[in-house]
Amino acid sequence: MKIWKQAVLFYLGGCAYVGLEILWRGRSDGSMFVAGGLCFLLLGRLRRAFSYVPFALRGIFGAMVITAVELGIGLLVNRDYHVWDYRGQPLNFLGQICLCYSLLWIPVSLGAMYLYGFLEKTLSRISAAD
């Protein structure tokens, strides 16, 4: 895929992630834009690579991807818990990830994979029209 399409999808994924956080928590952080863009690109690749996998299982794989990105970003930029803090949540790991949110990522990842497919096709049609 052309680099401009990847950049557009990264941007849209970042905006969506920040938007979800603002709707859910009332605030966000710039690092969440990076996490969202990265998650969106990874979920798009997962969608393509695992198209033969049952729908529900793709959601679980997607949740694992988002949780892994959240852990990585958290360990890099959330050491003082200024972005988020899951230490009070049951089954948390280092206060950076927790089971509750990992489960929430299942439907979010399925929606993101669907949206990625739609946007990828739309961008391809736009590019073909040029």
Side-chain angles (χ1 to χ4, degrees):
M1 183 181 302
K2 293 182 181 177
I3 191 77
W4 74 268
K5 288 182 194 175
Q6 293 287 334
V8 169
L9 291 167
F10 181 90
Y11 175 78
L12 293 173
C15 288
Y17 203 93
V18 167
L20 283 173
E21 271 218 319
I22 290 171
L23 287 172
W24 187 260
R25 298 186 319 148
R27 63 185 174 85
S28 190
D29 183 79
S31 63
M32 294 296 89
F33 178 84
V34 174
L38 179 59
C39 284
F40 201 51
L41 293 179
L42 292 172
L43 290 171
R45 290 182 188 261
L46 181 81
R47 175 186 173 274
R48 198 174 308 117
F50 291 96
S51 60
Y52 61 91
V53 172
F55 186 72
L57 195 53
R58 272 185 275 160
I60 293 169
F61 288 160
M64 291 168 64
V65 166
I66 296 172
T67 300
V69 169
E70 190 175 54
L71 177 61
I73 296 287
L75 293 174
L76 288 173
V77 302
N78 194 38
R79 292 182 185 158
D80 60 357
Y81 303 101
H82 74 281
V83 182
W84 71 86
D85 184 356
Y86 296 152
R87 291 178 291 182
Q89 296 289 324
L91 301 172
N92 78 81
F93 180 71
L94 302 174
Q96 302 297 338
I97 57 174
C98 68
L99 181 61
C100 177
Y101 281 93
S102 293
L103 294 174
L104 179 64
W105 296 136
I106 294 171
V108 170
S109 69
L110 289 169
M113 284 186 242
Y114 174 81
L115 182 61
Y116 185 97
F118 172 78
L119 291 171
E120 184 179 42
K121 287 176 189 170
T122 302
L123 291 173
S124 292
R125 279 195 298 263
I126 290 170
S127 133
D130 288 342

